[in-house]
């Protein structure tokens, strides 16, 4: 991959630099308040920001603060009951420490700190697939734990991933005539009723499986074994393409048995942006130029969707906010050189900077946590730690390898 290319120049760059300094000042003081190991909303995400900001500024002080956070996280792990899913649990924390070690921010040996974790995860994965309502969910279920095992890159972990995939296949619905594969998961709808649906999303649904398989199959010798699952899921998505001129998006949030089309937002978590990215990853694995062009057409269409209100972009966070959209487009531009992605990344960054408008916000930012419920958030997924990380990549040549934990890279 070519060297990371920063985006913002001129007044936009100056505004980003100022905002980044404000975020760093707030988060440097947040170290003393760390009370969770949570990657997406607690100490894990904070340590990522401090590490990357320290590298950006050449500041050993911020690297030291990162180490302080990690030490607090380890202590918290020893004091609380273990919980393993990726977003809030031990696997996300271990991924963070491994990432920081692998990229020369810190020195840490996760395997020494957490002995027998891989063996424990084998049983946890089976439990979540077979019995938990979270099922294969990337954030809260088995897929995120399997993703952590994938990063461990050893034979035993590969055996456990195979076990995960074999259990996952038992849950799949195969249509041999259409050569499609689909599987259900549970979601809470707007009425907070739990429903079993075919979830298309990257964060909690089948696009996450496609993205994971693109990573896993690339590294194993027997690639044929899981291609039916991968291509079947892709075919299911393509068979349920919607007319974006009618429904705004190519793909729905999810489908139930009625298969009633529905519009999805513009975001990392749900909608065409995360789905198109996952299809693009699969196309590269399969060396499938038709699928590559298809995924790029989906992604290029998203660049026309620029009205924040219409696209439900109500805040600046990574999950479903302006900065998250900007970051995905920036990653796509860096990989493809397609100017539409560059221009759209700049647009959403500028939208995100304008969202820092609240006098009682953190560096001006607030997160929309529910209907008309604006809250301050220091976290990675919805708060200023994630916004700050994206701003670093927008104005520097430091590759944001942290975005791997969101299946973006």
């Amino acid at each position: 991959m070519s060297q990371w290319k920063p985006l913002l120049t001129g007044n936009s760059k100056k505004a980003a630099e100022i905002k980044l300094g404000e975020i760093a000042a707030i988060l440097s003081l947040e170290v003393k308040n760390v009370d969770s190991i949570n990657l997406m909303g607690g100490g894990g995400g904070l340590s990522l920001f401090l590490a990357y900001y320290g590298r950006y500024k050449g500041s050993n002080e911020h690297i030291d603060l990162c180490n302080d956070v990690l030490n607090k996280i380890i202590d918290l792990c020893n004091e609380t009951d273990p919980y393993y899913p990726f977003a809030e649990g031990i696997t996300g924390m271990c991924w963070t420490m491994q990432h920081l070690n692998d990229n020369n921010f810190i020195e840490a040996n996760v395997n020494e700190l957490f002995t027998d974790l891989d063996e424990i995860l084998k049983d946890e994965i089976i439990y979540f697939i077979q019995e938990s309502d979270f099922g294969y969910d990337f954030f809260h279920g088995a897929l995120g734990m399997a993703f952590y095992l994938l990063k461990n890159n050893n034979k035993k972990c590969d055996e456990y991933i195979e076990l995960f995939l074999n259990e996952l296949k038992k849950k799949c619905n195969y249509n041999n005539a259409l050569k499609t594969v689909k599987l259900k998961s549970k979601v809470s709808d707007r009425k907070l009723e739990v429903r079993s649906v075919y979830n298309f999303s990257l964060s909690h649904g089948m696009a996450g499986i496609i993205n994971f398989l693109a990573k896993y199959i690339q590294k194993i010798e027997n690639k044929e074994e899981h291609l039916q699952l991968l291509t079947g899921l892709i075919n299911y998505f393509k068979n349920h393409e919607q007319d974006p001129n009618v429904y705004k998006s190519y793909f729905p949030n999810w489908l139930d048995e009625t298969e009633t089309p529905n519009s999805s937002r513009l975001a990392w978590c749900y909608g065409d942006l995360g789905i198109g990215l996952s299809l693009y990853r699969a196309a590269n694995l399969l060396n499938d130029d038709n699928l590559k062009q298809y995924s790029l057409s989906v992604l290029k269409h998203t660049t026309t969707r620029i009205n924040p209100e219409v696209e439900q972009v109500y805040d600046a966070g990574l999950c479903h906010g302006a900065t998250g959209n900007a970051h995905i487009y920036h990653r796509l531009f860096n990989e493809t050189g397609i100017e539409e992605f560059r221009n759209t990344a700049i647009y959403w960054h500028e939208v995100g900077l304008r969202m820092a408008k609240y006098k009682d916000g953190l560096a001006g930012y607030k997160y929309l946590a529910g209907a008309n419920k604006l809250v301050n958030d220091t976290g990675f997924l919805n708060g200023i730690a994630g916004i700050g990380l994206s701003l670093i990549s927008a104005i520097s040549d430091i590759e944001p390898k942290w975005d791997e934990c969101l299946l973006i890279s």
Side-chain angles (χ1 to χ4, degrees):
M1 186 178 293
S2 60
Q3 184 179 7
W4 185 257
K5 306 177 186 71
L7 278 177
L8 299 182
T9 59
N11 290 335
S12 295
K13 182 179 180 181
K14 290 178 183 177
E17 289 171 339
I18 293 169
K19 194 55 58 182
L20 185 56
E22 294 174 11
I23 290 171
I26 293 167
L27 292 181
S28 295
L29 297 175
E30 191 66 20
V31 174
K32 64 181 182 294
N33 299 322
V34 171
D35 60 2
S36 86
I37 69 172
N38 191 319
L39 167 57
M40 297 300 160
L46 175 59
S47 68
L48 285 176
F49 173 80
L50 291 169
Y52 275 86
Y53 187 75
R55 180 163 291 176
Y56 164 68
K57 295 295 286 186
S59 166
N60 289 330
E61 176 187 353
H62 289 90
I63 300 297
D64 290 341
L65 287 172
C66 170
N67 276 298
D68 290 344
V69 173
L70 295 175
N71 288 329
K72 282 197 168 192
I73 286 173
I74 293 168
D75 290 341
L76 286 167
C77 273
N78 293 327
E79 296 167 2
T80 57
D81 292 334
Y83 184 68
Y84 297 97
F86 192 71
E88 303 102 348
I90 288 174
T91 51
M93 183 206 69
C94 289
W95 177 90
T96 302
M97 295 181 70
Q98 193 68 55
H99 173 81
L100 293 173
N101 179 78
D102 291 347
N103 289 282
N104 301 313
F105 291 102
I106 64 168
E107 292 184 8
N109 189 324
V110 175
N111 292 326
E112 288 183 1
L113 288 169
F114 298 95
T115 57
D116 301 323
L117 177 60
D118 299 346
E119 195 73 30
I120 293 169
L121 291 180
K122 178 186 73 171
D123 296 330
E124 288 290 312
I125 284 170
I126 298 303
Y127 164 76
F128 272 86
I129 288 288
Q130 292 182 348
E131 299 184 41
S132 171
D133 284 349
F134 289 118
Y136 68 82
D137 190 294
F138 174 63
F139 266 3
H140 309 300
L143 185 60
M145 290 183 270
F147 171 73
Y148 169 71
L149 292 175
L150 177 61
K151 295 309 297 176
N152 265 11
N153 201 28
N154 65 57
K155 194 169 184 179
K156 182 183 287 188
C157 289
D158 287 350
E159 290 175 7
Y160 298 159
I161 292 172
E162 289 293 319
L163 186 64
F164 158 67
L165 290 173
N166 288 335
E167 289 297 318
L168 189 70
K169 290 173 184 177
K170 295 176 185 177
K171 299 287 184 178
C172 290
N173 184 317
Y174 295 86
N175 186 318
N176 292 327
L178 295 175
K179 297 183 178 179
T180 62
V181 177
K182 60 182 180 179
L183 70 162
K184 285 186 173 180
S185 60
K186 292 185 178 180
V187 298
S188 295
D189 62 18
R190 291 181 180 178
K191 298 179 181 178
L192 298 181
E193 295 176 354
V194 177
R195 303 167 56 197
S196 290
V197 298
Y198 300 106
N199 190 325
F200 281 66
S201 74
L202 175 57
S203 54
H204 308 294
M206 293 180 286
I209 299 173
I210 290 173
N211 199 305
F212 174 84
L213 286 170
K215 295 177 184 297
Y216 179 61
I217 294 173
Q218 185 176 34
K219 62 166 282 190
I220 61 175
E221 292 182 10
N222 185 13
K223 300 183 185 303
E224 295 296 324
E225 185 173 351
H226 302 301
L227 286 181
Q228 181 188 8
L229 176 58
L230 175 60
T231 57
L233 288 167
I234 293 168
N235 290 340
Y236 178 74
F237 275 60
K238 293 175 75 173
N239 282 1
H240 289 83
E241 176 190 316
Q242 305 173 156
D243 183 350
N245 295 316
V246 177
Y247 295 102
K248 186 175 66 174
S249 59
Y250 274 84
F251 300 105
N253 288 312
W254 57 68
L255 293 176
D256 58 21
E257 296 299 341
T258 67
E259 296 197 343
T260 304
N262 57 89
S263 299
S264 56
R265 70 194 308 168
L266 185 72
W268 166 80
C269 53
Y270 276 87
D272 289 357
L273 198 49
I275 293 169
L277 176 67
S278 298
L279 294 174
Y280 180 73
R281 296 280 176 247
N284 286 334
L285 166 78
L286 298 168
N287 197 25
D288 184 336
D289 191 58
N290 289 332
L291 179 60
K292 185 174 184 178
Q293 294 308 313
Y294 177 79
S295 64
L296 287 173
S297 69
V298 171
L299 290 165
K300 286 178 181 178
H301 178 263
T302 67
T303 67
T304 67
R305 299 168 57 184
I306 57 173
N307 185 315
E309 286 292 322
V310 171
E311 302 306 336
Q312 303 174 61
V313 183
Y314 301 127
D315 54 48
L318 291 179
C319 184
H320 44 260
T323 306
N325 291 348
H327 185 77
I328 295 175
Y329 288 119
H330 191 178
R331 172 65 73 179
L332 287 167
F333 168 67
N334 208 75
E335 292 186 20
T336 67
I338 294 172
E339 281 295 312
E340 289 132 291
F341 296 146
R342 176 183 177 275
N343 295 336
T344 311
I346 293 171
Y347 168 78
W348 283 113
H349 266 307
E350 291 175 344
V351 170
L353 287 166
R354 292 196 296 272
M355 287 178 166
K357 60 186 179 181
Y358 301 99
K359 291 182 179 179
D360 60 341
L362 299 178
Y365 290 105
K366 282 185 175 287
Y367 159 59
L368 185 65
N372 301 315
K373 185 181 179 183
L374 289 165
V375 299
N376 290 336
D377 193 318
T378 58
F380 170 79
L381 188 65
N382 294 308
I384 59 171
I387 294 169
L389 281 163
S390 185
L391 289 176
I392 291 170
S393 67
I395 60 177
S396 78
D397 61 1
I398 300 170
E399 183 180 357
K401 294 182 180 180
W402 53 263
D403 65 6
E404 179 188 64
C405 73
L406 295 176
L407 302 177
I408 294 173
S409 61

